[in-house]
Each structure stands twice: as structure tokens, then as C-alpha cells.
Amino acid sequence: MRYFITFSYDGGRYHGWQIQPNGVSVQEKLEWALSTLLREEISVTGAGRTDAGVHARMMVAHFDASELDCEQLAYKLNRLLPQDIAVQKVETVDDEMHARFSAKWRTYHYYIHTCKDPFLRAYSCEIHYPLDFAAMNEAGRRLTDYDDFGAFCKSGADVKTTLCQVTRAAWIQTSPTTWYFEITANRFLRNMVRAVVGTMIDVGRGRLTIEEFCKVIEGKRRTEAGESMPGNALFLEKIEY
């Protein structure tokens, strides 16, 4: 039978979602907990990959096993997993469902704050220069006009295509000093959101015009886009099937 696990995690002490040869990953912890409880080797497939330090309010993974008590398994997983990984539910799904390939939309949030705050430093990026959020939102609207985002893909990434369908990209203010960027797409390239945010910050600082921002996208060269922003402020927010 096939099962979906919906869970969340604080990625601060992990080298991303995917198992790595030289660092602890979220996938490694989840597979260890499942294998321990089910007394057989269990491998899981995630809905996507998050980089080192990136968080997830919602991640989904699937695995195959014999018939299980889903509620009891979720309870036992939460007892066994570290405090920075929390399982919301385990559920049975059709055998053809796939955590990655069956996902239709993914949404990320990137958080920034413009005033020093000791309680935000772990989950938001502190920025001290003025930003033109109207211009940044115009840049976000322009993102939805394109489907090739090679300019925001990490150099050397092993991807077959750089095509993505972005349906929403907007900056949302939550207080006088806090904002987050919300972006929804059918798929994301490695490092894409952090590179998009870095390039939009250049727009907000007046370093790039909207026209130049569009030319960066059209040029499809990572070297022309902005810097990759820190991972600690990025959250995988939602996955839709």
C-alpha cells in the first residue's frame, strides 16, 4: 500500500531535505524513524528538495508498506523524531499517487524584516536599506509572463528543463517592519526562490529597472541575476495535489 506523510520541519540544523554523504538531512531522519518503527528498511520520496537551512511548514513524502494504523504511526513518529520535525498526518493514497510528480502547485514564502529584532533573526532576513516594494511587486507581476527561469537556476544544477509555470509572485506586508514574498509555481529550480528574491531586492534598491529585470529573465544566465539570499528565511509553505 502507498502512504502519504504530511509533516513540517525547522531546517536550521539540516543539510537540506535530501540524504547527503557529508551531513544530516531531514529525509535521513524520517527514513530512520519509519524503518525503526516498521522494522524494515523504508525509503521515502519527497515532494521536492529544500536546501540546507531552509524550512518547511508543509512537506509531503510517500512510502510503500503493508497495511498500517495511520493514526498510531503518526503518533509514534512524533514520539521518535527530533523536536524540529513534526508529523501532521499519515494517510493511505492510491498506488499511482506520487509525492513529487502528482503535486500540482507549490508555494514558498521568503521573510524579511527592516529593523533589528532578536526574535526574527533565525527565520527572517534583516535588511537595512530602503526598498521600493511597489517596484518589487511590479517585478513579481512580470515573472508570471515568463516560463523559462534559467537565470535563477543554480549553476551546474542537474535539471532537464528550466521551464516553470509561475502563477503568483507578490510581496505582502505584515507589520511596519516585516514583509514576506509569496511565490506559487508548478515546480521550482534549485536555488530559484532565493535567486529571484535577490534579484527583486536589486529592483527595490534601484539597481535594476523593471526592463532590466525582464532582460535578466530573458537572458537565462545565472551570472546576470542577483545574489542568492540566505536560506534561513525561506519556507516551503504549501503543496497542492
Side-chain angles (χ1 to χ4, degrees):
M1 299 179 66
R2 177 150 293 183
Y3 298 87
F4 266 20
I5 305 179
T6 302
F7 57 104
S8 55
Y9 55 84
D10 179 330
R13 71 185 187 99
Y14 297 104
H15 287 246
W17 155 256
Q18 191 174 26
I19 289 177
Q20 304 288 333
N22 57 351
V24 180
S25 70
V26 179
Q27 183 183 16
E28 176 187 337
K29 288 293 185 182
L30 186 59
E31 290 187 348
W32 165 78
L34 282 167
S35 299
T36 299
L37 292 171
L38 301 181
R39 299 181 181 179
E40 61 177 300
E41 187 172 341
I42 298 292
S43 61
V44 301
T45 300
R49 302 174 183 177
T50 54
D51 292 334
V54 176
H55 318 290
R57 293 194 203 278
M58 178 184 181
M59 174 61 99
V60 177
H62 78 250
F63 71 96
D64 297 322
S66 56
E67 188 171 355
L68 301 169
D69 183 328
C70 293
E71 188 174 341
Q72 273 296 306
L73 180 59
Y75 171 77
K76 290 178 180 179
L77 282 169
N78 279 325
R79 293 291 300 270
L80 188 58
L81 286 165
Q83 290 296 311
D84 49 14
I85 303 174
V87 173
Q88 281 75 55
K89 63 180 177 179
V90 178
E91 58 189 327
T92 57
V93 295
D94 292 339
D95 288 345
E96 65 270 17
M97 286 291 289
H98 193 285
R100 179 182 174 190
F101 298 127
S102 298
K104 295 181 178 179
W105 304 105
R106 298 164 172 85
T107 298
Y108 279 90
H109 286 181
Y110 193 90
Y111 293 84
I112 68 169
H113 56 288
T114 57
C115 183
K116 186 177 181 180
D117 188 327
F119 304 108
L120 293 179
R121 70 187 190 280
Y123 304 106
S124 178
C125 181
E126 188 174 327
I127 293 180
H128 294 288
Y129 30 77
L131 293 172
D132 182 345
F133 284 97
M136 291 160 67
N137 268 323
E138 177 58 29
R141 285 188 286 272
R142 298 296 183 93
L143 280 174
T144 62
D145 294 335
Y146 295 90
D147 58 12
D148 193 326
F149 295 95
F152 305 120
C153 183
K154 185 172 183 177
S155 299
D158 181 20
V159 293
K160 294 180 180 178
T161 176
T162 52
L163 298 180
C164 308
Q165 182 184 356
V166 175
T167 60
R168 175 173 169 78
W171 286 90
I172 299 165
Q173 187 171 18
T174 54
S175 82
T177 59
T178 57
W179 298 73
Y180 68 86
F181 175 61
E182 179 174 275
I183 183 168
T184 299
N186 64 331
R187 65 188 292 264
F188 287 92
L189 307 172
R190 187 175 180 188
N191 210 231
M192 176 174 164
V193 180
R194 292 158 62 191
V196 167
V197 173
T199 310
M200 295 180 91
I201 293 290
D202 284 343
V203 172
R205 297 183 70 181
R207 292 178 168 182
L208 282 178
T209 65
I210 296 298
E211 291 70 26
E212 289 169 336
F213 177 79
C214 292
K215 287 181 180 179
V216 167
I217 301 172
E218 293 163 6
K220 305 176 187 177
R221 297 179 60 186
R222 180 66 187 92
T223 53
E224 300 300 318
E227 66 174 306
S228 179
M229 300 295 285
N232 68 293
L234 181 60
F235 286 74
L236 174 55
E237 195 73 19
K238 183 170 61 174
I239 304 167
E240 298 171 78
Y241 288 90

